[in-house]
Amino acid sequence: SDGTDVFTFGDVKDAKADVLSTDVLRVGASGKSSRVSGAGPRPMRTVLAVNGTQVFWIQDGTIVRAAKAGGDPVTVAKVPGAKVQQMAADEAAVYWTDSGTGDPTWSGRVKRASLADGKVDTISDAPAPVAIAVDADTVYWTSSPDAGGRVMAQKKTGGSTFVLAADQHRPRGLSVDGAHVYWINAGDGSVCRTEKAPHAKP
């Protein structure tokens, strides 16, 4: 949601061709849906993100975007083989967590792709990243290994990565407001928050 509308996937069947396709939909306060764009081949139905004017999703190993008002999808970056968990976006970039490739030397990455040129950067290699959120100047994410989960943050301009909360139980479901970061610990069902101010380096 962007605070006004909800964005989701919906299946559409062409009765004449007997073909099922998937659309990206925008649902307003009235409950009425409108089509944003066709979702393309093999969409990842669990991952969507929005910024002020665009909606982002993954189809066929590629992050794409389309105007919220409607339009054809445009490629942002190719992510073949990525195990994307969640995405977030601002006006300059799209951010995502990748849980890993199965290679024991790769336990997960937090990544960013520029909307201007599609350049992909790695923000963090914290293990088992899941949830992600952004505000005006900071990226936040959860690291959710089997033990010792953390809520982490880094300024968008780079620099140190900070631990906002440690010893969590599989933290997921991240959200931010003006003063706090909120998350759910899937391991024990607790709902938590902490101040945005960094507490310690990892």
Side-chain angles (χ1 to χ4, degrees):
S1 173
D2 61 5
T4 302
D5 297 325
V6 172
F7 295 82
T8 186
F9 293 105
D11 292 325
V12 180
K13 186 169 184 177
D14 185 330
K16 293 181 180 179
D18 196 28
V19 174
L20 190 67
S21 62
T22 302
D23 286 345
V24 177
L25 304 177
R26 178 177 188 159
V27 184
S30 67
K32 183 178 179 180
S33 66
S34 59
R35 183 179 185 270
V36 174
S37 180
R42 292 177 288 280
M44 185 177 287
R45 291 173 176 264
T46 56
V47 179
L48 276 170
V50 293
N51 65 12
T53 59
Q54 300 169 100
V55 57
F56 301 79
W57 69 96
I58 299 174
Q59 60 185 42
D60 201 20
T62 302
I63 297 174
V64 298
R65 57 177 168 160
K68 288 180 179 179
D72 294 331
V74 176
T75 295
V76 176
K78 293 187 179 299
V79 289
K83 295 181 180 178
V84 178
Q85 301 300 299
Q86 292 185 19
M87 284 196 306
D90 59 22
E91 307 312 309
V94 60
Y95 308 79
W96 68 94
T97 51
D98 184 345
S99 66
T101 63
D103 182 334
T105 64
W106 174 295
S107 61
R109 300 286 189 273
V110 180
K111 290 183 169 284
R112 168 180 53 208
S114 166
L115 301 186
D117 58 14
K119 180 184 177 185
V120 176
D121 296 311
T122 297
I123 296 173
S124 170
D125 60 359
V130 179
I132 190 165
V134 296
D135 63 13
D137 60 7
T138 304
V139 186
Y140 307 86
W141 65 93
T142 63
S143 174
S144 300
D146 292 336
R150 297 178 291 174
V151 179
M152 310 179 77
Q154 185 185 109
K155 293 297 183 183
K156 291 177 180 177
T157 53
S160 298
T161 296
F162 293 94
V163 176
L164 302 183
D167 299 321
Q168 300 301 298
H169 304 282
R170 292 168 56 209
R172 312 283 173 95
L174 196 65
S175 183
V176 298
D177 64 14
H180 294 93
V181 182
Y182 305 82
W183 67 96
I184 295 170
N185 279 319
D188 62 11
S190 59
V191 179
C192 305
R193 77 173 187 180
T194 189
E195 295 180 354
K196 284 182 172 180
H199 300 298
K201 293 183 179 180

